[in-house]
Amino acid sequence: MKSFFKTILDFLLNIGYIPTDTKELSIKKSSLIIVPLIIAPAAFIWGLIYIALGQVLSGFIPLSYTFISILNLIHLYYTKDIRPFFIIQLTLVLLLPFLLMWSLGGFASGSYVMIWAFYAPIIAMMYKTDSNVSKLFYLFISLIVISTIIDRWLVSLNLNVMPQIAIELFYLLNAVAGLGGIYYLLKYFIEENNKNASSNLKKEHDALLKTTKELEEVNKKLEKLARNDTLTGVSNRYHFNEALSQMTSYAKRTNTGVALLNIDLDSFKAVNDTCGHHIGDEVLKIVAHRIKDCLREEDVLSRIGGDEFAIVMYVNNNFEYIKEIAQRLIDEISKDYSCVEHDIPISASIGISLYPMHTNDIDILMTYADKAMYNIKKKTKNGYAIYTENL
């Protein structure tokens, strides 16, 4: 039974809803619809009681509100136009309680019904601007002043006075129902607004998390682009200089050594000229992969030029290991390339310099590796050379 009434209530509260409504507007519409749902049943009962007590005119006034509100809700259901609904409800709620009070004979017999008129500024407060709320409140006060002025005249006209017990009972019931309705209306409006605010806050929080995550991913990509070669995926010259600086500094503190291997591909220009640059790019990717397979995890491989690579690695004056790595690199790079259709031999010339054996200066260390590489390239190619003063 409870779920049945809740279903009916949810249906009634959403009869003015359209898909384009914002959540805030939807709350305002629902809060406005609550007004006749609160007042109309009470007005219907009140009207029947007034008629039963012989107050036909007084009974007709609340009954008219009930029937007009029903038509008002039906019109809203079919048109979804909240504006006429708002104007009609505002007018009825403000004027009918005063008309009812005047029909009952003024303040003495009907002042309690003014409670219902106070719904008008509350409705405006929820749905309109502050300036309209003030106008309605002042109009409410003005009607009270008018009622005070004509009160004696109304008392003199009222010949069918209700019993005092009925007046007191109506006072109690109207106070409980009217103030209770105002409380429920404001409570619903505030709670729905709080839910909407919490929902919006959660959406903003989720959107912020999503944006933060996207920015982190973009930042990672930018950092990778800044440190890595876009073609081969190995580190670029910027990262190479950074790694060389860090590794030589560490070697200085730990009294160890660093080897710098400068690798230049032989006959690579012939690949580009004969097979095209797209094949040349594939060759560079394969070379980078083959070199990486020969290295340790802590060694740093970088592409520092078109067909030029460099390796920085820690050594402990173990020249045999350096020679072994250099020869292994030459053997791997010299293997066949399936993407190169023409018979173009691809090999590598490697120049090696050592820190701090040859120099403590990084720039000079790179120059020495270049000299050793160019020396082997002039002589035999497809080989390696360790820098000596003779070069």
Side-chain angles (χ1 to χ4, degrees):
M1 183 64 72
K2 185 177 179 182
S3 61
F4 172 76
F5 283 115
K6 187 178 184 304
T7 302
I8 296 297
L9 181 61
D10 289 340
F11 168 76
L12 291 172
L13 291 178
N14 288 285
I15 61 174
Y17 173 78
I18 54 178
T20 55
D21 285 346
T22 62
K23 184 62 177 176
E24 183 180 2
L25 181 57
S26 178
I27 292 171
K28 288 180 178 180
K29 286 184 176 181
S30 298
S31 301
L32 182 57
I33 292 168
I34 283 178
V35 175
L37 296 183
I38 292 173
I39 301 178
F44 181 76
I45 296 170
W46 274 205
L48 294 179
I49 295 174
Y50 283 132
I51 292 172
L53 292 172
Q55 300 283 346
V56 179
L57 177 61
S58 299
F60 174 77
I61 292 172
L63 285 176
S64 66
Y65 173 81
T66 300
F67 290 115
I68 293 172
S69 292
I70 291 172
L71 294 175
N72 208 193
L73 287 168
I74 293 172
H75 180 267
L76 177 63
Y77 174 74
Y78 285 106
T79 65
K80 307 300 181 184
D81 187 359
I82 198 68
R83 180 70 182 170
F85 185 88
F86 170 79
I87 294 172
I88 291 171
Q89 284 299 312
L90 210 61
T91 304
L92 292 177
V93 170
L94 182 63
L95 295 181
L96 290 189
F98 282 95
L99 293 176
L100 179 57
M101 183 183 72
W102 296 343
S103 72
L104 291 170
F107 285 110
S109 302
S111 60
Y112 43 81
V113 298
M114 287 192 304
I115 293 170
W116 299 100
F118 200 67
Y119 275 81
I122 292 175
I123 295 170
M125 180 178 65
M126 292 186 301
Y127 200 79
K128 302 293 288 183
T129 61
D130 291 339
S131 60
N132 286 315
V133 174
S134 300
K135 290 176 184 177
L136 281 166
F137 181 74
Y138 294 143
L139 183 56
F140 173 77
I141 298 299
S142 299
L143 288 170
I144 294 177
V145 173
I146 294 170
S147 300
T148 304
I149 294 171
I150 66 174
D151 189 59
R152 285 193 177 187
W153 178 67
L154 293 171
V155 172
S156 66
L157 289 177
N158 186 36
L159 301 176
N160 190 14
V161 181
M162 287 193 301
Q164 184 63 32
I165 184 67
I167 294 173
E168 292 176 355
L169 181 61
F170 271 112
Y171 178 81
L172 175 64
L173 293 177
N174 275 276
V176 171
L179 294 176
I182 290 173
Y183 166 78
Y184 179 79
L185 178 60
L186 291 175
K187 180 174 180 288
Y188 174 84
F189 182 73
I190 292 170
E191 285 181 350
E192 290 300 313
N193 268 324
N194 287 340
K195 288 179 184 176
N196 186 41
S198 298
S199 177
N200 289 339
L201 186 62
K202 186 178 184 303
K203 287 179 182 178
E204 290 177 3
H205 179 260
D206 292 342
L208 184 60
L209 287 178
K210 183 180 178 182
T211 302
T212 302
K213 187 176 180 181
E214 289 173 352
L215 288 173
E216 287 177 352
E217 291 175 357
V218 170
N219 188 54
K220 287 178 182 177
K221 289 178 181 178
L222 289 174
E223 185 178 349
K224 186 176 181 181
L225 287 173
R227 297 168 63 88
N228 289 75
D229 176 54
T230 53
L231 176 64
T232 61
V234 300
S235 60
N236 57 19
R237 179 177 283 276
Y238 168 79
H239 187 213
F240 164 74
N241 292 332
E242 189 180 69
L244 181 59
S245 177
Q246 291 175 353
M247 292 174 75
T248 52
S249 295
Y250 178 79
K252 184 177 182 179
R253 292 195 305 271
T254 57
N255 198 28
T256 54
V258 170
L260 171 59
L261 287 74
N262 195 341
I263 306 170
D264 189 81
L265 300 184
D266 304 321
S267 305
F268 183 73
K269 186 176 184 300
V271 174
N272 277 336
D273 293 343
T274 306
C275 304
H277 287 279
H278 64 289
I279 298 298
D281 289 345
E282 287 300 315
V283 170
L284 290 173
K285 291 177 186 178
I286 296 170
V287 168
H289 180 72
R290 290 180 179 179
I291 294 174
K292 203 167 182 63
D293 284 346
C294 297
L295 303 179
R296 302 167 299 188
E297 187 175 347
E298 63 269 24
D299 299 334
V300 177
L301 168 64
S302 303
R303 182 185 174 209
I304 59 174
D307 61 344
E308 191 174 354
F309 295 84
I311 300 170
V312 187
M313 59 173 58
Y314 290 113
V315 292
N316 291 312
N317 297 324
N318 187 348
F319 297 118
E320 293 303 318
Y321 174 74
I322 299 170
K323 293 176 182 179
E324 179 185 332
I325 288 294
Q327 188 58 55
R328 192 188 309 169
L329 290 171
I330 290 168
D331 294 340
E332 287 295 321
I333 293 172
S334 300
K335 288 181 178 179
D336 292 336
Y337 293 82
S338 58
C339 60
V340 180
E341 297 178 359
H342 301 275
D343 188 18
I344 302 174
I346 299 172
S347 59
S349 299
I350 303 175
I352 304 169
S353 60
L354 303 172
Y355 174 94
M357 177 180 290
H358 294 145
T359 179
N360 289 324
D361 188 294
I362 294 177
D363 293 331
I364 296 176
L365 188 71
M366 294 171 64
T367 301
Y368 286 172
D370 279 340
K371 286 184 176 181
M373 183 268 293
Y374 282 116
N375 183 65
I376 196 69
K377 206 171 185 66
K378 287 179 181 178
K379 288 184 176 180
T380 62
K381 296 185 178 179
N382 196 29
Y384 68 87
I386 299 175
Y387 174 79
T388 64
E389 291 185 3
N390 295 334
L391 297 180

